[in-house]
Amino acid sequence: MMESLSLSEDKHEAFQTLQAKYGVVRRQLGIVSSQLSYAEMEKQRNKLTLVELEKLPEGTATYKAIGKMFLLVPSSRIIGDCQEAVAVADTRIGEFTGQKTALEKTATEVENSIRDIIMAARDKPSVASKES
């Protein structure tokens, strides 16, 4: 059962502003979560590539994909590139984790503010019921 809440004009504006802010924060949170997942996937892929490359005997011909062609590259260079990519992914994962935590905190604060406005409106008797 939905009951109608009567909000003063300033509370109504605050409520709408908080709703809009909550929507923006949730979208940003979704984007950061996707970026975090992608960075973790890239890190895992490079770590698996490193494991496989380290199994190869020295002097094995290795190729790196560049566009639609493959270029003969020493395995030590590919290993170095993978190690660098893992380090970059670690940095990005740390950044995205921090952003995600901050956005989750902001979302919780906005939710609490919205909840406070709603609870205050429910607790406050409406003007129409006073006149009855």
Side-chain angles (χ1 to χ4, degrees):
M1 180 189 318
M2 289 288 293
E3 62 183 73
S4 177
L5 297 176
S6 63
L7 296 173
S8 64
E9 191 173 322
D10 60 329
K11 293 279 187 189
H12 185 70
E13 286 181 27
F15 183 76
Q16 287 182 327
T17 302
L18 287 170
Q19 276 186 314
K21 183 176 180 179
Y22 184 74
V24 168
V25 169
R26 293 304 299 182
R27 278 190 294 282
Q28 289 174 338
L29 189 56
I31 291 168
V32 169
S33 292
S34 295
Q35 291 173 325
L36 179 60
S37 294
Y38 182 76
E40 289 171 342
M41 183 181 65
E42 282 292 308
K43 178 182 175 181
Q44 185 64 25
R45 184 178 61 83
N46 280 299
K47 285 174 88 173
L48 290 171
T49 301
L50 275 171
V51 167
E52 292 301 316
L53 284 172
E54 289 169 351
K55 291 179 185 177
L56 296 176
E58 196 64 36
T60 302
T62 53
Y63 296 86
K64 183 173 186 171
I66 300 178
K68 293 183 178 181
M69 68 178 204
F70 293 92
L71 186 63
L72 181 62
V73 178
S75 60
S76 61
R77 181 170 169 202
I78 295 175
I79 289 172
D81 290 348
C82 286
Q83 288 170 338
E84 182 180 332
V86 168
V88 167
D90 279 333
T91 302
R92 294 183 72 213
I93 288 170
E95 291 170 0
F96 292 141
T97 301
Q99 289 175 7
K100 184 177 178 182
T101 302
L103 287 169
E104 286 171 341
K105 181 180 176 190
T106 302
T108 302
E109 290 171 357
V110 172
E111 286 173 359
N112 290 337
S113 296
I114 290 172
R115 191 174 297 113
D116 290 344
I117 290 173
I118 292 171
M119 294 307 286
R122 282 186 183 162
D123 293 342
K124 179 182 166 186
S126 66
V127 175
S129 64
K130 285 183 178 179
E131 294 174 356
S132 299

PDB file of all heavy atoms in Angstrom, residues 30-56:
ATOM      1  N   GLY A  30      28.677   1.763 -11.752  1.00  0.00           N
ATOM      2  CA  GLY A  30      28.631   0.714 -12.772  1.00  0.00           C
ATOM      3  C   GLY A  30      29.810   0.794 -13.725  1.00  0.00           C
ATOM      4  O   GLY A  30      30.421  -0.219 -14.080  1.00  0.00           O
ATOM      5  N   ILE A  31      30.162   2.015 -14.128  1.00  0.00           N
ATOM      6  CA  ILE A  31      31.293   2.216 -15.042  1.00  0.00           C
ATOM      7  C   ILE A  31      32.594   1.792 -14.371  1.00  0.00           C
ATOM      8  O   ILE A  31      33.402   1.070 -14.962  1.00  0.00           O
ATOM      9  CB  ILE A  31      31.362   3.686 -15.507  1.00  0.00           C
ATOM     10  CG1 ILE A  31      30.184   3.996 -16.421  1.00  0.00           C
ATOM     11  CG2 ILE A  31      32.691   3.989 -16.199  1.00  0.00           C
ATOM     12  CD1 ILE A  31      29.998   5.482 -16.713  1.00  0.00           C
ATOM     13  N   VAL A  32      32.793   2.242 -13.134  1.00  0.00           N
ATOM     14  CA  VAL A  32      34.032   1.902 -12.413  1.00  0.00           C
ATOM     15  C   VAL A  32      34.110   0.394 -12.167  1.00  0.00           C
ATOM     16  O   VAL A  32      35.179  -0.207 -12.299  1.00  0.00           O
ATOM     17  CB  VAL A  32      34.137   2.703 -11.094  1.00  0.00           C
ATOM     18  CG1 VAL A  32      35.257   2.180 -10.222  1.00  0.00           C
ATOM     19  CG2 VAL A  32      34.362   4.175 -11.395  1.00  0.00           C
ATOM     20  N   SER A  33      32.983  -0.235 -11.865  1.00  0.00           N
ATOM     21  CA  SER A  33      32.972  -1.680 -11.652  1.00  0.00           C
ATOM     22  C   SER A  33      33.373  -2.411 -12.931  1.00  0.00           C
ATOM     23  O   SER A  33      34.135  -3.381 -12.897  1.00  0.00           O
ATOM     24  CB  SER A  33      31.596  -2.151 -11.194  1.00  0.00           C
ATOM     25  OG  SER A  33      31.306  -1.672  -9.913  1.00  0.00           O
ATOM     26  N   SER A  34      32.871  -1.931 -14.076  1.00  0.00           N
ATOM     27  CA  SER A  34      33.241  -2.533 -15.361  1.00  0.00           C
ATOM     28  C   SER A  34      34.726  -2.353 -15.641  1.00  0.00           C
ATOM     29  O   SER A  34      35.404  -3.287 -16.101  1.00  0.00           O
ATOM     30  CB  SER A  34      32.439  -1.906 -16.494  1.00  0.00           C
ATOM     31  OG  SER A  34      31.082  -2.192 -16.357  1.00  0.00           O
ATOM     32  N   GLN A  35      35.235  -1.156 -15.373  1.00  0.00           N
ATOM     33  CA  GLN A  35      36.657  -0.890 -15.597  1.00  0.00           C
ATOM     34  C   GLN A  35      37.518  -1.756 -14.679  1.00  0.00           C
ATOM     35  O   GLN A  35      38.568  -2.262 -15.100  1.00  0.00           O
ATOM     36  CB  GLN A  35      36.967   0.589 -15.372  1.00  0.00           C
ATOM     37  CG  GLN A  35      36.374   1.487 -16.428  1.00  0.00           C
ATOM     38  CD  GLN A  35      36.531   2.957 -16.101  1.00  0.00           C
ATOM     39  OE1 GLN A  35      36.471   3.351 -14.935  1.00  0.00           O
ATOM     40  NE2 GLN A  35      36.710   3.786 -17.120  1.00  0.00           N
ATOM     41  N   LEU A  36      37.071  -1.935 -13.451  1.00  0.00           N
ATOM     42  CA  LEU A  36      37.797  -2.774 -12.502  1.00  0.00           C
ATOM     43  C   LEU A  36      37.831  -4.224 -12.983  1.00  0.00           C
ATOM     44  O   LEU A  36      38.880  -4.869 -12.985  1.00  0.00           O
ATOM     45  CB  LEU A  36      37.157  -2.678 -11.113  1.00  0.00           C
ATOM     46  CG  LEU A  36      37.778  -3.519 -10.003  1.00  0.00           C
ATOM     47  CD1 LEU A  36      39.229  -3.136  -9.774  1.00  0.00           C
ATOM     48  CD2 LEU A  36      36.975  -3.355  -8.718  1.00  0.00           C
ATOM     49  N   SER A  37      36.691  -4.719 -13.428  1.00  0.00           N
ATOM     50  CA  SER A  37      36.626  -6.096 -13.937  1.00  0.00           C
ATOM     51  C   SER A  37      37.544  -6.273 -15.146  1.00  0.00           C
ATOM     52  O   SER A  37      38.243  -7.286 -15.263  1.00  0.00           O
ATOM     53  CB  SER A  37      35.199  -6.451 -14.332  1.00  0.00           C
ATOM     54  OG  SER A  37      34.373  -6.474 -13.216  1.00  0.00           O
ATOM     55  N   TYR A  38      37.536  -5.287 -16.046  1.00  0.00           N
ATOM     56  CA  TYR A  38      38.376  -5.366 -17.236  1.00  0.00           C
ATOM     57  C   TYR A  38      39.859  -5.370 -16.854  1.00  0.00           C
ATOM     58  O   TYR A  38      40.646  -6.152 -17.403  1.00  0.00           O
ATOM     59  CB  TYR A  38      38.070  -4.212 -18.193  1.00  0.00           C
ATOM     60  CG  TYR A  38      38.868  -4.279 -19.463  1.00  0.00           C
ATOM     61  CD1 TYR A  38      38.544  -5.184 -20.465  1.00  0.00           C
ATOM     62  CD2 TYR A  38      39.974  -3.456 -19.656  1.00  0.00           C
ATOM     63  CE1 TYR A  38      39.286  -5.270 -21.624  1.00  0.00           C
ATOM     64  CE2 TYR A  38      40.727  -3.535 -20.815  1.00  0.00           C
ATOM     65  CZ  TYR A  38      40.379  -4.439 -21.798  1.00  0.00           C
ATOM     66  OH  TYR A  38      41.135  -4.523 -22.933  1.00  0.00           O
ATOM     67  N   ALA A  39      40.242  -4.508 -15.913  1.00  0.00           N
ATOM     68  CA  ALA A  39      41.641  -4.451 -15.485  1.00  0.00           C
ATOM     69  C   ALA A  39      42.061  -5.770 -14.836  1.00  0.00           C
ATOM     70  O   ALA A  39      43.175  -6.259 -15.070  1.00  0.00           O
ATOM     71  CB  ALA A  39      41.858  -3.294 -14.513  1.00  0.00           C
ATOM     72  N   GLU A  40      41.184  -6.361 -14.038  1.00  0.00           N
ATOM     73  CA  GLU A  40      41.493  -7.661 -13.422  1.00  0.00           C
ATOM     74  C   GLU A  40      41.632  -8.748 -14.479  1.00  0.00           C
ATOM     75  O   GLU A  40      42.508  -9.610 -14.389  1.00  0.00           O
ATOM     76  CB  GLU A  40      40.412  -8.031 -12.407  1.00  0.00           C
ATOM     77  CG  GLU A  40      40.461  -7.175 -11.154  1.00  0.00           C
ATOM     78  CD  GLU A  40      39.275  -7.371 -10.226  1.00  0.00           C
ATOM     79  OE1 GLU A  40      38.229  -7.903 -10.670  1.00  0.00           O
ATOM     80  OE2 GLU A  40      39.397  -6.966  -9.052  1.00  0.00           O
ATOM     81  N   MET A  41      40.774  -8.698 -15.502  1.00  0.00           N
ATOM     82  CA  MET A  41      40.841  -9.675 -16.587  1.00  0.00           C
ATOM     83  C   MET A  41      42.157  -9.525 -17.366  1.00  0.00           C
ATOM     84  O   MET A  41      42.814 -10.522 -17.690  1.00  0.00           O
ATOM     85  CB  MET A  41      39.645  -9.487 -17.513  1.00  0.00           C
ATOM     86  CG  MET A  41      39.574 -10.485 -18.644  1.00  0.00           C
ATOM     87  SD  MET A  41      38.167 -10.208 -19.734  1.00  0.00           S
ATOM     88  CE  MET A  41      38.590  -8.618 -20.436  1.00  0.00           C
ATOM     89  N   GLU A  42      42.533  -8.287 -17.656  1.00  0.00           N
ATOM     90  CA  GLU A  42      43.790  -8.035 -18.377  1.00  0.00           C
ATOM     91  C   GLU A  42      44.991  -8.533 -17.569  1.00  0.00           C
ATOM     92  O   GLU A  42      45.916  -9.128 -18.113  1.00  0.00           O
ATOM     93  CB  GLU A  42      43.941  -6.545 -18.669  1.00  0.00           C
ATOM     94  CG  GLU A  42      43.122  -6.059 -19.821  1.00  0.00           C
ATOM     95  CD  GLU A  42      43.621  -6.621 -21.144  1.00  0.00           C
ATOM     96  OE1 GLU A  42      44.821  -6.511 -21.444  1.00  0.00           O
ATOM     97  OE2 GLU A  42      42.787  -7.180 -21.876  1.00  0.00           O
ATOM     98  N   LYS A  43      44.968  -8.272 -16.276  1.00  0.00           N
ATOM     99  CA  LYS A  43      46.059  -8.725 -15.413  1.00  0.00           C
ATOM    100  C   LYS A  43      46.161 -10.244 -15.451  1.00  0.00           C
ATOM    101  O   LYS A  43      47.254 -10.805 -15.616  1.00  0.00           O
ATOM    102  CB  LYS A  43      45.828  -8.244 -13.976  1.00  0.00           C
ATOM    103  CG  LYS A  43      46.893  -8.727 -13.010  1.00  0.00           C
ATOM    104  CD  LYS A  43      46.596  -8.278 -11.595  1.00  0.00           C
ATOM    105  CE  LYS A  43      47.589  -8.873 -10.616  1.00  0.00           C
ATOM    106  NZ  LYS A  43      47.311  -8.478  -9.238  1.00  0.00           N
ATOM    107  N   GLN A  44      45.023 -10.911 -15.321  1.00  0.00           N
ATOM    108  CA  GLN A  44      45.015 -12.379 -15.323  1.00  0.00           C
ATOM    109  C   GLN A  44      45.510 -12.929 -16.660  1.00  0.00           C
ATOM    110  O   GLN A  44      46.284 -13.886 -16.702  1.00  0.00           O
ATOM    111  CB  GLN A  44      43.598 -12.897 -15.023  1.00  0.00           C
ATOM    112  CG  GLN A  44      43.523 -14.393 -14.882  1.00  0.00           C
ATOM    113  CD  GLN A  44      44.310 -14.940 -13.703  1.00  0.00           C
ATOM    114  OE1 GLN A  44      44.559 -14.242 -12.727  1.00  0.00           O
ATOM    115  NE2 GLN A  44      44.726 -16.177 -13.797  1.00  0.00           N
ATOM    116  N   ARG A  45      45.076 -12.313 -17.763  1.00  0.00           N
ATOM    117  CA  ARG A  45      45.505 -12.764 -19.088  1.00  0.00           C
ATOM    118  C   ARG A  45      47.018 -12.626 -19.242  1.00  0.00           C
ATOM    119  O   ARG A  45      47.697 -13.539 -19.736  1.00  0.00           O
ATOM    120  CB  ARG A  45      44.787 -11.947 -20.169  1.00  0.00           C
ATOM    121  CG  ARG A  45      45.109 -12.419 -21.588  1.00  0.00           C
ATOM    122  CD  ARG A  45      44.341 -11.630 -22.634  1.00  0.00           C
ATOM    123  NE  ARG A  45      44.630 -10.212 -22.624  1.00  0.00           N
ATOM    124  CZ  ARG A  45      45.674  -9.649 -23.222  1.00  0.00           C
ATOM    125  NH1 ARG A  45      46.560 -10.375 -23.859  1.00  0.00           N
ATOM    126  NH2 ARG A  45      45.851  -8.336 -23.176  1.00  0.00           N
ATOM    127  N   ASN A  46      47.572 -11.499 -18.801  1.00  0.00           N
ATOM    128  CA  ASN A  46      49.018 -11.298 -18.909  1.00  0.00           C
ATOM    129  C   ASN A  46      49.798 -12.230 -17.995  1.00  0.00           C
ATOM    130  O   ASN A  46      50.877 -12.698 -18.358  1.00  0.00           O
ATOM    131  CB  ASN A  46      49.369  -9.827 -18.632  1.00  0.00           C
ATOM    132  CG  ASN A  46      49.115  -8.953 -19.835  1.00  0.00           C
ATOM    133  OD1 ASN A  46      49.708  -9.147 -20.886  1.00  0.00           O
ATOM    134  ND2 ASN A  46      48.201  -8.014 -19.704  1.00  0.00           N
ATOM    135  N   LYS A  47      49.249 -12.511 -16.809  1.00  0.00           N
ATOM    136  CA  LYS A  47      49.925 -13.452 -15.913  1.00  0.00           C
ATOM    137  C   LYS A  47      49.944 -14.849 -16.521  1.00  0.00           C
ATOM    138  O   LYS A  47      50.969 -15.552 -16.445  1.00  0.00           O
ATOM    139  CB  LYS A  47      49.232 -13.466 -14.546  1.00  0.00           C
ATOM    140  CG  LYS A  47      49.537 -12.233 -13.711  1.00  0.00           C
ATOM    141  CD  LYS A  47      48.729 -12.197 -12.440  1.00  0.00           C
ATOM    142  CE  LYS A  47      49.440 -12.924 -11.338  1.00  0.00           C
ATOM    143  NZ  LYS A  47      48.763 -12.779 -10.033  1.00  0.00           N
ATOM    144  N   LEU A  48      48.841 -15.262 -17.129  1.00  0.00           N
ATOM    145  CA  LEU A  48      48.796 -16.575 -17.784  1.00  0.00           C
ATOM    146  C   LEU A  48      49.766 -16.634 -18.964  1.00  0.00           C
ATOM    147  O   LEU A  48      50.435 -17.654 -19.179  1.00  0.00           O
ATOM    148  CB  LEU A  48      47.376 -16.901 -18.248  1.00  0.00           C
ATOM    149  CG  LEU A  48      46.367 -17.180 -17.151  1.00  0.00           C
ATOM    150  CD1 LEU A  48      44.961 -17.279 -17.725  1.00  0.00           C
ATOM    151  CD2 LEU A  48      46.729 -18.460 -16.401  1.00  0.00           C
ATOM    152  N   THR A  49      49.854 -15.540 -19.708  1.00  0.00           N
ATOM    153  CA  THR A  49      50.800 -15.480 -20.829  1.00  0.00           C
ATOM    154  C   THR A  49      52.234 -15.598 -20.313  1.00  0.00           C
ATOM    155  O   THR A  49      53.058 -16.316 -20.902  1.00  0.00           O
ATOM    156  CB  THR A  49      50.615 -14.163 -21.612  1.00  0.00           C
ATOM    157  OG1 THR A  49      49.273 -14.091 -22.089  1.00  0.00           O
ATOM    158  CG2 THR A  49      51.574 -14.088 -22.792  1.00  0.00           C
ATOM    159  N   LEU A  50      52.535 -14.934 -19.209  1.00  0.00           N
ATOM    160  CA  LEU A  50      53.871 -15.023 -18.606  1.00  0.00           C
ATOM    161  C   LEU A  50      54.206 -16.456 -18.213  1.00  0.00           C
ATOM    162  O   LEU A  50      55.320 -16.935 -18.470  1.00  0.00           O
ATOM    163  CB  LEU A  50      53.960 -14.130 -17.368  1.00  0.00           C
ATOM    164  CG  LEU A  50      54.292 -12.671 -17.597  1.00  0.00           C
ATOM    165  CD1 LEU A  50      54.138 -11.875 -16.313  1.00  0.00           C
ATOM    166  CD2 LEU A  50      55.689 -12.527 -18.150  1.00  0.00           C
ATOM    167  N   VAL A  51      53.258 -17.133 -17.594  1.00  0.00           N
ATOM    168  CA  VAL A  51      53.480 -18.520 -17.164  1.00  0.00           C
ATOM    169  C   VAL A  51      53.822 -19.386 -18.379  1.00  0.00           C
ATOM    170  O   VAL A  51      54.769 -20.188 -18.338  1.00  0.00           O
ATOM    171  CB  VAL A  51      52.242 -19.070 -16.416  1.00  0.00           C
ATOM    172  CG1 VAL A  51      52.327 -20.580 -16.243  1.00  0.00           C
ATOM    173  CG2 VAL A  51      52.082 -18.382 -15.072  1.00  0.00           C
ATOM    174  N   GLU A  52      53.071 -19.218 -19.454  1.00  0.00           N
ATOM    175  CA  GLU A  52      53.311 -20.028 -20.649  1.00  0.00           C
ATOM    176  C   GLU A  52      54.644 -19.670 -21.321  1.00  0.00           C
ATOM    177  O   GLU A  52      55.370 -20.547 -21.787  1.00  0.00           O
ATOM    178  CB  GLU A  52      52.159 -19.878 -21.649  1.00  0.00           C
ATOM    179  CG  GLU A  52      50.854 -20.473 -21.172  1.00  0.00           C
ATOM    180  CD  GLU A  52      50.946 -21.955 -20.872  1.00  0.00           C
ATOM    181  OE1 GLU A  52      51.558 -22.710 -21.663  1.00  0.00           O
ATOM    182  OE2 GLU A  52      50.410 -22.374 -19.818  1.00  0.00           O
ATOM    183  N   LEU A  53      54.975 -18.386 -21.360  1.00  0.00           N
ATOM    184  CA  LEU A  53      56.231 -17.971 -21.991  1.00  0.00           C
ATOM    185  C   LEU A  53      57.455 -18.446 -21.202  1.00  0.00           C
ATOM    186  O   LEU A  53      58.490 -18.772 -21.783  1.00  0.00           O
ATOM    187  CB  LEU A  53      56.281 -16.445 -22.137  1.00  0.00           C
ATOM    188  CG  LEU A  53      55.429 -15.858 -23.253  1.00  0.00           C
ATOM    189  CD1 LEU A  53      55.410 -14.341 -23.166  1.00  0.00           C
ATOM    190  CD2 LEU A  53      55.945 -16.300 -24.623  1.00  0.00           C
ATOM    191  N   GLU A  54      57.321 -18.480 -19.872  1.00  0.00           N
ATOM    192  CA  GLU A  54      58.451 -18.910 -19.053  1.00  0.00           C
ATOM    193  C   GLU A  54      58.722 -20.403 -19.203  1.00  0.00           C
ATOM    194  O   GLU A  54      59.825 -20.872 -18.914  1.00  0.00           O
ATOM    195  CB  GLU A  54      58.204 -18.523 -17.597  1.00  0.00           C
ATOM    196  CG  GLU A  54      58.321 -17.014 -17.396  1.00  0.00           C
ATOM    197  CD  GLU A  54      57.832 -16.535 -16.036  1.00  0.00           C
ATOM    198  OE1 GLU A  54      57.237 -17.333 -15.280  1.00  0.00           O
ATOM    199  OE2 GLU A  54      58.050 -15.346 -15.732  1.00  0.00           O
ATOM    200  N   LYS A  55      57.758 -21.161 -19.692  1.00  0.00           N
ATOM    201  CA  LYS A  55      57.938 -22.599 -19.922  1.00  0.00           C
ATOM    202  C   LYS A  55      58.736 -22.872 -21.196  1.00  0.00           C
ATOM    203  O   LYS A  55      59.303 -23.953 -21.350  1.00  0.00           O
ATOM    204  CB  LYS A  55      56.578 -23.299 -20.058  1.00  0.00           C
ATOM    205  CG  LYS A  55      55.776 -23.358 -18.786  1.00  0.00           C
ATOM    206  CD  LYS A  55      54.439 -24.044 -19.066  1.00  0.00           C
ATOM    207  CE  LYS A  55      53.531 -24.036 -17.873  1.00  0.00           C
ATOM    208  NZ  LYS A  55      52.205 -24.637 -18.182  1.00  0.00           N
ATOM    209  N   LEU A  56      58.772 -21.885 -22.106  1.00  0.00           N
ATOM    210  CA  LEU A  56      59.438 -22.085 -23.390  1.00  0.00           C
ATOM    211  C   LEU A  56      60.955 -22.098 -23.223  1.00  0.00           C
ATOM    212  O   LEU A  56      61.509 -21.317 -22.443  1.00  0.00           O
ATOM    213  CB  LEU A  56      59.062 -20.976 -24.367  1.00  0.00           C
ATOM    214  CG  LEU A  56      57.599 -20.880 -24.782  1.00  0.00           C
ATOM    215  CD1 LEU A  56      57.394 -19.659 -25.682  1.00  0.00           C
ATOM    216  CD2 LEU A  56      57.174 -22.148 -25.513  1.00  0.00           C
TER     217      LEU A  56
END
